[in-house]
Amino acid sequence: MVDYIGTERLLELVARIGTAQFITGLAAEIEADFLRWNDFEKSARHATHSEVGVIELMPTCDGRLYSFKYVNGHPKNTSQGLLTVTAFGVLADVETGYPLLLSEMTYATALRTAATAVLAARTLARRSSRIMALIGNGAQSEFQAVAFHHMLGIRELRLYDTDLRATLKLERNLALLNLPGLHIVRCGSTAQAVGGADIVTTVTADKCKAIILTPEMIEPGMHLNALGGDCPGKTELHPDILRRPDASIVVEFEPQSRIEGEVQQLPQSFPVTELSAVLSGNAPGRTSDRDVTIFDSVGFALEDFSTLRYLHRLHNEERGAHPQIDLVPDLDDPKNLFARLASRVVSARAKGHLVVAQSA
Ligand SMILES: NC(=O)c1ccc[n+]([C@@H]2O[C@H](COP(=O)([O-])OP(=O)(O)OC[C@H]3O[C@@H](n4cnc5c(N)ncnc54)[C@H](O)[C@@H]3O)[C@@H](O)[C@H]2O)c1
């Protein structure tokens, strides 16, 4: 049997700890893994594009555990009542190759994206940051709001989305959470939300080179948490923002980000720094209060690896039965895979259920 975390179980595990506390714990797991960056086998994800979206496989391995995530990105899905991003993942034992956990990862992706964004902002944003603009108020947005409020001390959130219903939904959800000291401001445009913000999070979905932020919106000292540009031909920042002489760009895994991130708009030789180098102190993040720092996030397999391992531990820490799924046969004789099928066939025949296929 393989451990199984469906959406209900995931919600149970997160609710028991609390969303903000869960993200804090997850951020610590992700940071610890980024700090042992060289232990991981890394590759750009395998992306299968169509006109309306992308389906991606994201594997990684540290020699002991292996993980992969299946994830899609279909910005037009919401108009049909479907999510833009859905995901599931597997954690496996390298020694035997057996899967240990099959887990939902739609919620888990939103949680880990928030955890990673805060990790980056903790080293890149000014320590005094209190105001965040949140552009794109869809499925990911509450997770970003909760994480930045709890872990970074954001006290004013300025919301903007081209779809007013998305912003109203975010406001309702944040009101339910009643986050202490958090002031919410609904804005009429991106420019209004961004003006005077310390941190700007862009988490919009459109399968095009969108220009959510233009150069004149950017003020010295800002930290840009750019999450929505994560596919070839799908970006959010005007390239002149990336080219600012006072800007530094941090990415997760450079070979993947060159293909999918905002930096796809720049020559391959344009300097970027990997998050692992900043977290380990081997590269400077912010050097002055006037630097513009840009976390050009696309999401990397290591973040999902840490998330699956964290979820697996929480799942098993509880006493009593926890959900499992019969994904792999459990056999007395591993060379006799056929035996159980044979006994099923014999029993189906005895009950008269067997339909004999006609040969051509
Ligand atoms: N970097 C990562 O690790 C990571 C992880 C998950 C999702 N994402 C990306 O984040 C984005 C958002 O994902 P989601 O699940 O919240 O999608 P979603 O469809 O639920 O929400 C996206 C929101 O963006 C809004 N929007 C679109 N164009 C806009 C514009 N020009 N200005 C303002 N708002 C605009 C839409 O109205 C929608 O409400 C997607 O592009 C997804 O691929 C990145």
Side-chain angles (χ1 to χ4, degrees):
M1 297 296 275
V2 174
D3 287 333
Y4 175 64
I5 300 179
T7 54
E8 280 307 314
R9 175 66 173 157
L10 186 288
L11 295 177
E12 192 176 285
L13 290 172
V14 177
R16 204 160 287 170
I17 299 175
T19 314
Q21 289 72 16
F22 181 95
I23 294 174
T24 306
L26 179 53
E29 299 277 328
I30 294 172
E31 181 170 29
D33 285 333
F34 268 108
L35 290 176
R36 57 185 192 100
W37 186 237
N38 291 333
D39 289 353
F40 286 88
E41 203 172 293
K42 299 179 276 293
S43 56
R45 58 189 158 197
H46 185 281
T48 303
H49 296 275
S50 69
E51 284 193 0
V52 289
V54 64
I55 295 177
E56 298 165 326
L57 289 176
M58 302 172 67
T60 191
C61 172
D62 72 350
R64 215 171 54 80
L65 292 170
Y66 171 96
S67 75
F68 76 84
K69 179 169 85 172
Y70 167 106
V71 61
N72 77 300
H74 285 68
K76 290 195 170 49
N77 267 6
T78 52
S79 63
Q80 299 168 51
L82 301 173
L83 286 149
T84 296
V85 176
T86 69
F88 68 89
V90 167
L91 186 70
D93 175 23
V94 169
E95 190 67 22
T96 60
Y98 267 45
L100 302 169
L101 172 69
L102 170 65
S103 177
E104 91 80 53
M105 289 200 82
T106 304
Y107 282 108
T109 293
L111 292 157
R112 74 81 153 123
T113 302
T116 308
V118 171
L119 265 185
R122 233 169 26 190
T123 50
L124 296 176
R126 278 177 290 118
R127 282 188 185 280
S128 57
S129 296
R130 292 292 170 269
I131 303 175
M132 178 161 97
L134 185 44
I135 315 299
N137 302 160
Q140 309 297 318
S141 61
E142 287 83 357
F143 299 85
Q144 295 290 322
V146 168
F148 275 80
H149 168 264
H150 183 73
M151 292 178 68
L152 227 79
I154 287 300
R155 289 296 170 263
E156 181 171 319
L157 260 188
R158 303 199 183 151
L159 315 182
Y160 178 69
D161 195 298
T162 43
D163 176 4
L164 177 61
R165 285 168 311 169
T167 305
L168 296 175
K169 173 264 336 179
L170 172 57
E171 281 184 40
R172 273 196 310 277
N173 284 337
L174 293 176
L176 274 179
L177 290 174
N178 195 18
L179 301 174
L182 184 65
H183 179 51
I184 310 283
V185 183
R186 190 191 314 152
C187 296
S189 67
T190 298
Q192 190 194 345
V194 168
D198 302 307
I199 297 176
V200 179
T201 292
T202 54
V203 65
T204 66
D206 205 349
K207 200 170 164 54
C208 69
K209 287 199 167 172
I211 298 185
I212 307 297
L213 300 184
T214 52
E216 64 279 7
M217 292 179 191
I218 309 307
E219 294 161 18
M222 274 182 173
H223 171 65
L224 310 184
N225 177 37
L227 307 174
D230 57 0
C231 265
K234 179 168 175 272
T235 54
E236 293 180 311
L237 307 188
H238 189 290
D240 286 350
I241 297 174
L242 306 169
R243 291 194 197 101
R244 281 175 71 111
D246 59 354
S248 59
I249 304 172
V250 172
V251 299
E252 288 139 316
F253 176 52
E254 184 178 341
Q256 181 178 312
S257 302
R258 293 275 181 205
I259 301 167
E260 302 178 349
E262 298 298 329
V263 293
Q264 67 183 275
Q265 306 182 78
L266 301 176
Q268 291 286 316
S269 56
F270 197 92
V272 299
T273 305
E274 285 187 331
L275 181 59
S276 61
V278 179
L279 292 176
S280 62
N282 290 327
R286 166 175 294 279
T287 56
S288 95
D289 270 1
R290 293 188 63 79
D291 285 356
V292 171
T293 49
I294 303 170
F295 181 42
D296 176 10
S297 169
V298 294
F300 183 54
L302 177 148
E303 297 148 30
D304 302 312
F305 176 100
S306 316
T307 305
L308 285 163
R309 191 193 48 210
Y310 182 52
L311 283 170
H312 196 219
R313 199 174 69 232
L314 295 176
H315 187 63
N316 282 304
E317 263 170 14
E318 281 173 23
R319 278 174 219 265
H322 49 266
Q324 292 191 307
I325 185 170
D326 65 340
L327 201 61
V328 175
D330 184 12
L331 305 173
D332 294 332
D333 174 1
K335 294 193 178 180
N336 197 355
L337 179 62
F338 194 74
R340 278 175 61 194
L341 176 59
S343 78
R344 286 297 177 97
V345 170
V346 169
S347 116
R349 187 182 293 149
K351 290 177 188 157
H353 293 163
L354 191 66
V355 179
V356 179
Q358 298 287 321
S359 57

